[in-house]
Amino acid sequence: MKRSIIIVGGGLAGLSLGIALRERGIPVTLHDASEYPRHRVCGEFLSGVSDEVLECLGISFALEDAVPLRSSRWHDEEGPLRDMEVEGRGISRHLLDDRLQTRFRELGGALLTGSRLGAESVAAQEGVVWAAGRPKRASDWVGLKCHFRDLPLTHDLEMHVGRSGYIGLARIEEDRVNVCGLFRKRNPSGSKGVEILHHYLREIGLPDLSARLSSALPDTTSFCGVAGISFDPHDAGIFSIGDAAAMIPPFTGNGMSMALEAAFHSISPILDYVEGRIAWTEATVRNSKAASRAFGRRLRAANLLHPVITHARGTRWVRHLGMARFLPFGMIYRTLR
Ligand SMILES: Cc1cc2nc3c(=O)[nH]c(=O)nc-3n(C[C@H](O)[C@H](O)[C@H](O)COP(=O)(O)OP(=O)(O)OC[C@H]3O[C@@H](n4cnc5c(N)ncnc54)[C@H](O)[C@@H]3O)c2cc1C
């Protein structure tokens, strides 16, 4: 009889792994702290993951009608900085995660929602995959997101870099635009809901963008925020995937892809464990080695660049080089995938 697997966390990493394992006949129980469908703080710009990985995970179906995103424009406080071709897809996490959880259940996976497990009690146990997203740590950063209607974009993806934060506008389904940013924490002085987003935009020197959003229609039910975002390395020694293993700074637009790729790389050691060929400790070591090989370079590059683009002097430097066309945006984009 096959050994069974418990997955903690039903975001992209956990759900896609759950589907891949169920397609291979492995008994899986998945615990998620929340319910579906739900909005998540995410730029919803998916880029980097290959069709082969999606096929192997059994989740291509969920992205078939995602909005193709091909053009992007980077701006700073002074205006447009650089245009760049991208290769991405826009889809809300509300829709994507819901499709994945439905598929997981259809395949006979046991999904327990509203079930928050403690890392200390279960993460190190045999057969447990920790996919619970980034650990909450004290940090300077907050993430905010909201969907808008009637918001014309100049490009499929607009990135706006301010004094101590940045915000992306990406097309998603139903002619909506996802607006999502990362900001250095400040006191939002009594603002509530979408007003907090406007407050941060003005604070980081992007009042024109705030004015543009004011003439569009926010879907206030989609507004959400998170704090405690840290890019420090996470716990080694447990079988973890996705943000739970390592979080790449959001400006790369690669975190979702990394979550899916991490699920893909974890399949082989899990299969060997389930079939009794290796112990869980060996599966854990193989998983973390595969993740280091796959993600080490992009994590190092992203962590080097993040302080540059979130620091006022750094953004001025980017503007001078970017305008002079010295900055190899295309090469940086490829290195981060
Ligand atoms: C501001 C911001 C913008 C971003 N923009 C982009 C972007 O445009 N493109 C991109 O590719 N990536 C982006 N990302 C990153 C991307 O959202 C993450 O990398 C991705 O969601 C990671 O998926 P995951 O499955 O590892 O974690 P998550 O999606 O966070 O899922 C974790 C799941 O675990 C559950 N959970 C948490 N704790 C427990 C527990 N103790 N027990 C049980 N369940 C638990 C949660 O309910 C959640 O469903 C952005 C991130 C931020 C913060």
Side-chain angles (χ1 to χ4, degrees):
M1 181 162 138
K2 285 180 176 168
R3 290 158 159 173
S4 59
I5 293 293
I6 293 174
I7 300 174
V8 184
L12 289 188
L15 286 169
S16 57
L17 175 63
I19 291 169
L21 297 181
R22 282 306 305 142
E23 289 216 327
R24 289 158 179 80
I26 296 163
V28 184
T29 303
L30 198 156
H31 296 258
D32 194 89
S34 61
E35 307 287 338
Y36 302 91
R38 76 278 188 276
H39 290 284
R40 295 195 67 76
V41 173
C42 180
E44 301 179 343
F45 167 73
L46 173 63
S47 156
V49 65
S50 69
D51 290 343
E52 291 71 32
V53 166
L54 297 175
E55 212 44 60
C56 181
L57 290 168
I59 62 165
S60 307
F61 76 95
L63 292 162
E64 267 164 12
D65 58 354
V67 180
L69 305 179
R70 300 275 176 263
S71 62
S72 76
R73 175 169 283 179
W74 283 72
H75 303 250
D76 68 4
E77 291 163 75
E78 295 174 37
L81 200 58
R82 187 77 179 256
D83 292 355
M84 198 173 68
E85 280 178 23
V86 291
E87 214 176 299
R89 311 172 215 231
I91 182 167
S92 71
R93 293 291 300 272
H94 191 265
L95 180 60
L96 179 56
D97 291 24
D98 196 41
R99 284 179 173 172
L100 298 183
Q101 67 95 11
T102 304
R103 179 74 183 141
F104 176 68
R105 288 186 210 254
E106 283 167 0
L107 290 167
L111 178 56
L112 307 178
T113 57
S115 173
R116 179 179 291 278
L117 302 189
E120 322 70 41
S121 52
V122 293
Q125 282 178 21
E126 185 168 320
V128 173
V129 177
W130 193 255
R134 68 206 147 69
K136 313 285 174 286
R137 297 213 179 119
S139 97
D140 276 357
W141 299 104
V142 293
L144 299 172
K145 96 96 170 269
C146 186
H147 292 167
F148 285 79
R149 289 184 189 281
D150 301 331
L151 176 59
L153 297 188
T154 58
H155 292 70
D156 297 333
L157 172 71
E158 290 183 24
M159 283 296 289
H160 297 259
V161 182
R163 276 195 289 273
S164 50
Y166 49 87
I167 186 152
L169 281 62
R171 294 186 207 285
I172 55 165
E173 69 272 8
E174 295 173 358
D175 292 325
R176 281 179 292 156
V177 172
N178 181 40
V179 176
C180 179
L182 186 78
F183 308 95
R184 209 176 280 284
K185 219 188 296 171
R186 285 190 170 89
N187 178 5
S189 64
S191 313
K192 286 208 181 84
V194 185
E195 232 344 277
I196 303 176
L197 188 59
H198 288 283
H199 170 84
Y200 271 102
L201 286 175
R202 290 189 295 268
E203 284 284 316
I204 69 167
L206 301 172
D208 293 351
L209 181 56
S210 170
R212 253 177 87 196
L213 296 186
S214 295
S215 51
L217 196 62
D219 170 3
T220 50
T221 62
S222 69
F223 176 79
C224 47
V226 281
I229 300 169
S230 153
F231 306 111
D232 296 340
H234 303 166
D235 286 345
I238 61 169
F239 198 119
S240 55
I241 56 172
D243 278 5
M247 181 171 177
I248 194 162
F251 78 93
T252 58
N254 195 241
M256 291 197 283
S257 175
M258 273 178 55
L260 299 175
E261 290 174 66
F264 165 78
H265 288 297
S266 72
I267 296 173
S268 160
I270 291 177
L271 287 183
D272 283 345
Y273 161 77
V274 164
E275 305 284 353
R277 288 187 287 275
I278 59 173
W280 187 246
T281 44
E282 190 181 337
T284 303
V285 171
R286 270 180 51 193
N287 177 58
S288 68
K289 279 190 180 158
S292 305
R293 271 194 305 275
F295 308 129
R297 191 183 62 157
R298 60 185 114 154
L299 281 168
R300 283 191 297 277
N303 285 324
L304 274 175
L305 282 170
H306 197 249
V308 177
I309 68 162
T310 52
H311 196 281
R313 229 179 282 154
T315 46
R316 273 204 299 278
W317 180 81
V318 169
R319 162 159 279 275
H320 292 315
L321 291 178
M323 290 304 272
R325 306 223 155 239
F326 287 139
L327 206 56
F329 268 69
M331 195 184 83
I332 293 170
Y333 175 76
R334 285 190 297 279
T335 305
L336 296 172
R337 317 203 117 63

